[in-house]
Amino acid sequence: MKQAVIDLGTNTFHLMIVEQHAHQPWTVLFRESRPAKIGKGGINRNQITPEAIDRALVVLTYFRSVLDQFGIDPADVRAFGTSAIRVAENQTEFLDRVREATGIQIQVISGDQEAAYIYAGVRASGAMNLSPVNQLEPNRPTAPVSLIMDIGGGSVEFVLGTPERIFWKQSFEIGGQRLIERFMPNTENEISLAAVERLNDFFREQLLPLTNAIHQYAPTTGRTMQLVGSSGTFDTLIDMQFMHEKGHLPDPEQASFLLPIEEFYRSYDLLLTRNHDERMQLPGMIELRVDMIVVAVCLIDYVLSTFGINTITVSTYALKEGALAVNNEH
C-alpha cells in the first residue's frame, strides 16, 4: 500500500511517498524537500504574506504532479501544517487556496502533536539507542534519558524521554526564521558577539519550562543525558562532519548518527565566524540552511552548555516518519 506524507514546515515543505506491506518496514519510493519560506516576512506578525502563499502553491502544485505520477489521490495524503500555519491569522485563506489549487487538505497540528510525532520518528530511527552512555555505564538498569530537539523555522520542539516513554514534551515558538528576523536581520554578514549574547538571554528566558523539566526528569545531567537532534540543522551538521572527515556525504539510507561534541564545536566556530558567502563555501552546506543554521547552532550550544550535555546523536527521521510510525501502530 502506498502512503504519502507532506510536512509543511515554516521554511521547507517535505514530501515522502512510501510503500508498505503488512508488518513490513516501509520502502521509500520518493522523497524531496523544497523551500517555500512561508514564514519569511510575516512570521513574527502571525501572517503568511501573499508572496509566501504564492511560493507555497508553486511547491505544492509540483508535489501534486508527483502524487499523480504515483497514482495517489490528494485526498488520501496526510499533510501537516506546523508553526507558521498554526499561528497565522490568515490560516483559513491559506488552507482554502491550497485545497482549491491542489486538492491537498492540510491538517493543522498543535505544537504538542508535532512534538509527539517527532518523538515517534526519532524512536523509529534508532538514534536514542546510539548513546555511548550505554558503553560507559553498562550496568545501568534503564536507557539514558534523551533530550530530543527539532529546530524548525517557526518552532522548536523538545521532548524528554527514553525509547519506552515520553516524560515531558513542549513546542516553543522560537524557530530559526523567527530568530533570524529578530536577532540577525542582515544574514549577509557574520553574526555579532552581541547578537549571540542577546540570543542566549532570550533562550534563558523562553526555555525556563525546559530547565524545570530537566531538573525534574533528568536531575543528573552530563553523560547520563544525551541530546538527540532531529533532522534539519542536525542533518547539515552531519553532512559537514562527513565532508570534513571522509570527503563524501553520508549514506542517505542511514537514519541515525553519532555527532562527536568536538565536531559540533568545529562547525559552530566555522559558522559563527563567516558571512553568508563564506558559509556557503563550507563543504556539506546547502543553500536552504546557510543562514538559519547560524542561530540554530547558537541554540544547540546554549542547550549543551546549560545542561552539561556532552553526547549528541542525530536522527534523520522527524515528523513525516513519526506520522507513518504512529499510523502503522494502529
Side-chain angles (χ1 to χ4, degrees):
M1 183 178 91
K2 290 177 188 168
Q3 301 178 66
V5 181
I6 299 175
D7 170 3
L8 294 99
T10 296
N11 278 299
T12 314
F13 289 178
H14 312 267
L15 169 62
M16 186 165 77
I17 300 173
V18 303
E19 188 156 35
Q20 185 165 32
H21 303 289
H23 311 299
Q24 297 290 319
W26 64 68
T27 303
V28 178
L29 302 178
F30 181 90
R31 181 193 282 128
E32 187 167 350
S33 300
R34 291 207 168 187
K37 299 187 177 178
I38 60 169
K40 187 175 181 182
I43 193 158
N44 288 329
R45 296 182 291 109
N46 295 341
Q47 289 288 324
I48 302 174
T49 66
E51 297 80 11
I53 294 176
D54 290 342
R55 287 193 296 271
L57 291 175
V58 168
V59 176
L60 292 172
T61 300
Y62 164 68
F63 283 178
R64 170 63 198 269
S65 71
V66 175
L67 295 169
D68 291 345
Q69 289 169 28
F70 283 90
I72 297 173
D73 185 334
D76 294 335
V77 176
R78 302 184 72 205
F80 297 101
T82 59
S83 176
I85 303 172
R86 187 158 60 227
V87 303
E89 292 169 359
N90 57 336
Q91 177 192 114
T92 302
E93 177 198 349
F94 178 77
L95 301 182
D96 289 347
R97 291 275 306 276
V98 169
R99 189 178 63 251
E100 288 162 9
T102 67
I104 295 168
Q105 300 201 45
I106 298 168
Q107 175 191 353
V108 182
I109 57 174
S110 68
D112 204 54
Q113 289 173 295
E114 188 173 354
Y117 279 135
I118 289 164
Y119 167 80
V122 168
R123 185 175 62 178
S125 78
M128 296 172 81
N129 299 316
L130 270 187
S131 172
V133 170
N134 294 325
Q135 285 80 57
L136 289 168
E137 304 176 36
N139 299 319
R140 281 179 62 85
T142 56
V145 174
S146 294
L147 173 60
I148 296 169
M149 178 181 187
D150 186 295
I151 307 172
S155 61
V156 178
E157 281 67 46
F158 287 99
V159 183
L160 274 170
T162 65
E164 290 71 45
R165 59 172 293 207
I166 293 174
F167 297 128
W168 171 92
K169 63 185 186 303
Q170 190 167 332
S171 176
F172 296 83
E173 297 292 344
I174 58 166
Q177 186 64 35
R178 296 181 193 277
L179 296 177
I180 280 177
E181 293 189 8
R182 184 163 175 173
F183 295 98
M184 192 183 165
N186 185 353
T187 55
E188 293 302 312
N189 298 334
E190 66 186 70
I191 192 167
S192 68
L193 287 175
V196 174
E197 287 179 14
R198 289 198 303 275
L199 273 166
N200 284 327
D201 290 341
F202 181 72
F203 296 147
R204 195 170 298 110
E205 174 189 305
Q206 295 292 314
L207 295 177
L208 194 56
L210 172 64
T211 303
N212 293 337
I214 286 175
H215 288 324
Q216 182 175 352
Y217 295 107
T220 51
T221 55
R223 67 180 186 170
T224 54
M225 184 168 70
Q226 62 182 350
L227 180 67
V228 184
S230 168
S231 68
T233 285
F234 292 96
D235 286 346
T236 299
L237 290 170
I238 291 293
D239 288 350
M240 291 174 69
Q241 176 197 359
F242 266 70
M243 291 301 292
H244 172 62
E245 294 179 356
K246 307 175 192 295
H248 63 79
L249 294 173
D251 178 354
E253 297 307 309
Q254 187 173 339
S256 58
F257 298 86
L258 194 61
L259 179 64
I261 202 96
E262 307 78 30
E263 176 58 24
F264 166 74
Y265 279 109
R266 184 191 74 86
S267 295
Y268 172 87
D269 290 340
L270 290 172
L271 292 163
L272 263 65
T273 55
R274 280 160 172 72
N275 63 30
H276 173 97
D277 291 341
E278 292 165 339
R279 292 192 299 271
M280 204 55 234
Q281 298 306 311
L282 296 171
M285 182 55 64
I286 57 172
E287 178 71 40
L288 188 61
R289 301 221 173 87
V290 67
D291 296 326
M292 193 170 299
I293 197 169
V294 178
V295 290
V297 295
C298 290
L299 176 54
I300 297 167
D301 167 62
Y302 173 81
V303 169
L304 293 173
S305 55
T306 300
F307 304 118
I309 301 170
N310 56 22
T311 301
I312 309 172
T313 66
V314 174
S315 163
T316 64
Y317 287 6
L319 188 154
K320 303 184 301 302
E321 293 83 2
L324 284 170
V326 170
N327 195 46
N328 295 332
E329 286 171 4
H330 298 311

